[in-house]
Structures are given as C-alpha cells and as structure tokens.
DNA sequence: TATAATAAGGTCAGGGAAAGTCAGAAACCT
DNA sequence: AGGTTTCTGACTTTCCCTGACCTTATTATA
C-alpha cells in the first residue's frame, strides 16, 4: 500500500472538503508542507479534482493568490442519460467510469450497480474497435440509466 | 509432482490471501524474491487468479504502482459468467433475459440490477447487426456478472 | 500616475518508476 | 514427434514528479 505524494495530497484536500464543502488553498504553502514542487499541486488537481469527478476549481494569480476547490452540483439520472444520448460520438471509457463513480457518490447508484456498469463498459468487455466501441458504450449506459430512472 | 515456479508463486499468493482476504503486491519485488522476470507474475495471475476461479485483480502503473488481488465474494455468479463466456456465439436476447430473471429470482440480483441488465442487453441498446450483437451482449453480461461476484 | 518590483499561480516537456503485452524460446509431458 | 505449459526479454503504456519558463495581480516607488 504505497502511498504516493499525489495520494497524500489528494487525501489532504478531500479531508478539508469534507469539513468545509469549499476550500481555498495556497499553492506554495501546500507544496512547502509536503516538501514538493508547487507544480505537483497542479498535477493533483488536474488528475483528481477534475470536473469529470465532480469538482470545480478556480484560482487567482498574483499577490494574495489562491486556488479554490469545491464539489460540483450533481444532475439526476434522467438528465444524465439525456445528455449522454445527445453525444453523437458516444463516450470513451475514462469519462464513462468517472460519470458512473459520480452517480455512485451522489447516491444515485449503489456500489454494486456502479461496479457492474464500470465492468461492462470496459474496452475489453465491449470488445469492438473504435469508433463503434464508444457508441455502443454510450447506448448501453443510456439504456441502463433510463431503466433505473423508471424503477423505484 | 514437480513444483514449478508458477506453482510456488501461486502458493505464495494464496497463503497471503488466506491471511488477509485482500493483498497488494509489487510486481518487481515479488519477481526479485523468486529470481524471475516480472512478466512471470503476470503469467501466474493470468493463469491461476482468473475471474473464473473466483479471483479479481486490479493494478496501477507508474510510481507507487501495485497489483491488488482478492477473492470474489459470490462464486455463484462467477460460475454463471464462466459458463456464459464458454459460448462462442454469444447469447441471444430471449435466453439472456431469462437468465437474468432466474438470477433475480434466486436472489443473486436485485430488481434494479436485473432491470438494468435487461435494458442494456436489448437489441436496440446494443444496436449492432447479428452476429456481433449476440457476442457483445454476452461479453457485457459476463463482465457485469463477474463484477457483481466480487461486490459485497 | 507610470513604472518597476514582487508575489502569486499556470504550463509543458521530459525523466524515472512502475505495470502490461506478446512473440517466441524452453521445458515438460504424453 | 507433437502439443501444452512455463518462462523470458524487448517493447509499450501509464503514472508520478520536477524544473524552467510564462502570465497575472498587487504593491512600492519615481
């Protein structure tokens, strides 16, 4: 269980977010705490706190600069399915999995349901060449999410 | 009864699993212990710790990379998935839906899960011509059931 | 009021550290 | 001999992390 620096910083930020819902951090200061290059903070934000994963960040440079991080509002399943269906090129694996994870975190999907959907939207599961794969992935996902929005 | 290297590594991992239920190993490190090529670890995992045998593996590359191995919790679903995977022509819609219904009635799937799976294995959801459609349907179903065989 | 200095954060290429893949060699059976 | 299993090495892909350089905002100064 090797905890990388990026993992540690991610936890740090997540812990702060759990308390406050919206936080402002100072890049150099955080980098100093972890003894790393300031750009490492950008790396963590870029790979873990993306819009796809349900986070929004904004920042300001110059004197008194900051980076603000907050959770994005989550739309409901039906709207998600509709938005997905509007994509003519389908959806790639990474954004699809991020989308599923967000739905799970928002309580729209159970852990089992999310695991199932992520498994069957993997490249190897669909097993078609691009671009057909992304299209089929999107269609299956839409069908699944719509089925759930009827159920319950 | 010659004990191959692969057998030894298999026992090593099984012993660890017996203690912990879920383990994280480092490929290079394990290879070093056994004085073999790192890819030998992949061979062992690919031939002995397969989903059909009730194991799941996930990994991360790069700095701080790892391979995690755990036992699947619901071997029942795993066996069904293995049987399905053995069908070279895939599975048609009607038998697929019947299979899903049986799993639901047997308490292996919730109503929501079954509804999702039936929706996304419909012809229109997959949207491919035969015979590819039946093949993709089977692959997706296998992936989904295997994922569930792990989850709680 | 311009202008210079200072104090932030942003970007990107690239090196290093893992794990993955796959063809083919080697070993082991019938 | 033929087929199956084991094992390796070369190459690929992914992820982490840094350092050099760039852009923007504030503050001090002429």
């Amino acid at each position: 269980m090797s905890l990388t620096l990026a993992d540690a910083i991610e936890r740090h930020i997540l812990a702060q977010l759990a308390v406050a819902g919206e936080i402002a951090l100072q890049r150099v200061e955080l980098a100093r705490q972890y003894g790393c290059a300031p750009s490492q903070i950008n790396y963590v934000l870029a790979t873990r706190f993306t819009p796809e994963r349900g986070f929004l960040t904004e920042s300001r440079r110059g004197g008194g600069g900051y980076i603000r991080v907050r959770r994005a509002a989550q739309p409901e399943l039906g709207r998600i399915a509709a938005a997905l269906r509007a994509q003519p090129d389908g959806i790639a694996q990474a954004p699809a999995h991020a989308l599923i994870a967000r739905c799970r975190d928002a309580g729209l999907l159970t852990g089992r349901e999310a695991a199932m959907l992520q498994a069957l939207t993997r490249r190897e599961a669909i097993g078609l060449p691009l671009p057909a794969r992304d299209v089929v992935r999107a269609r299956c996902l839409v069908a699944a999410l719509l089925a759930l929005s009827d159920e319950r």
Side-chain angles (χ1 to χ4, degrees), chain A:
Chain A
M1 184 181 75
S2 59
L3 207 30
T4 68
L5 180 54
D7 292 331
I9 297 175
E10 176 187 15
R11 291 190 186 187
H12 179 99
I13 297 177
L14 281 177
Q16 303 246 117
L17 272 176
V19 179
E22 165 165 342
I23 60 168
L25 50 90
Q26 219 119 25
R27 196 179 70 146
V28 261
E29 170 56 18
L30 192 51
R32 198 194 51 72
Q33 279 180 41
Y34 283 90
C36 65
S39 54
Q40 174 70 0
I41 308 301
N42 295 90
Y43 173 74
V44 173
L45 292 173
T47 55
R48 279 121 158 117
F49 294 87
T50 69
E52 286 195 338
R53 296 195 182 193
F55 296 96
L56 289 183
T57 68
E58 52 187 319
S59 64
R60 238 178 83 182
R61 313 188 187 193
Y66 58 83
I67 302 177
R68 209 177 310 162
V69 187
R70 59 195 160 107
R71 294 204 111 99
Q74 309 280 359
E76 291 291 313
L77 278 184
R79 281 185 46 190
I80 295 174
L84 193 51
R85 194 166 36 189
Q87 301 297 320
D89 297 335
I91 187 172
Q93 173 172 312
H97 284 194
L99 177 68
I100 294 166
R102 272 199 300 150
C103 290
R104 180 198 55 216
D105 294 344
L108 300 173
L109 296 176
T110 69
R112 275 168 59 101
E113 288 159 1
M116 198 171 90
L117 286 179
Q118 289 192 335
L120 68 88
T121 53
R122 288 180 62 229
R123 295 179 249 292
E124 298 82 1
I126 301 174
L128 295 172
L130 287 173
R133 190 167 67 218
D134 284 358
V135 174
V136 169
R137 178 183 292 120
R139 269 200 300 256
C140 288
L141 208 42
V142 165
L145 296 180
L146 284 181
L148 280 195
S149 68
D150 292 344
E151 195 86 1
R152 112 163 46 176

